[in-house]
């Protein structure tokens, strides 16, 4: 993944994965719709195997909202 991302501009994001069922705050939803990282990830993962289990987790982990996670067991 890192080699493929190297063709794009900007730093390589730290990839994360997880469940496709989660809640997000309105602020993060706005960020997901309008950030450059979101657009780059969407383009990059368009033909990947399980983007629904990586896209939001990777975006969140690399966003300014990273410190606001609530991990419920």
């Amino acid at each position: 993944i890192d080699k493929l991302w190297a063709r794009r501009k900007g730093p390589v994001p730290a990839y994360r994965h997880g469940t496709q069922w989660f809640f997000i705050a309105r602020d993060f939803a706005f960020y997901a719709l309008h950030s450059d990282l979101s657009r780059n990830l969407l383009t990059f993962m368009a033909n990947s195997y399980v983007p629904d289990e990586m896209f939001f987790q990777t975006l969140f982990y690399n966003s300014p909202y990273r410190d606001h996670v609530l991990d419920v067991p």
Side-chain angles (χ1 to χ4, degrees), residues 17-73:
H17 60 86
T19 181
Q20 55 188 305
W21 298 96
F22 52 86
F23 292 93
I24 59 174
R26 181 184 299 263
D27 291 343
F28 180 69
F30 185 85
Y31 178 83
L33 290 171
H34 300 287
S35 72
D36 289 336
L37 178 58
S38 178
R39 285 189 281 277
N40 290 339
L41 279 175
L42 188 60
T43 301
F44 182 73
M45 293 185 178
N47 296 313
S48 67
Y49 182 60
V50 286
D52 59 329
E53 296 178 358
M54 286 180 57
F55 177 77
F56 283 105
Q57 292 79 0
T58 299
L59 181 64
F60 187 82
Y61 189 80
N62 291 279
S63 78
Y65 300 96
R66 177 180 177 175
D67 296 332
H68 301 282
V69 67
L70 176 62
D71 190 11
V72 179

Side-chain angles (χ1 to χ4, degrees), residues 3-14:
K3 289 180 183 179
L4 294 173
W5 187 269
R7 298 178 187 162
R8 306 202 182 285
K9 295 178 182 178
V12 177

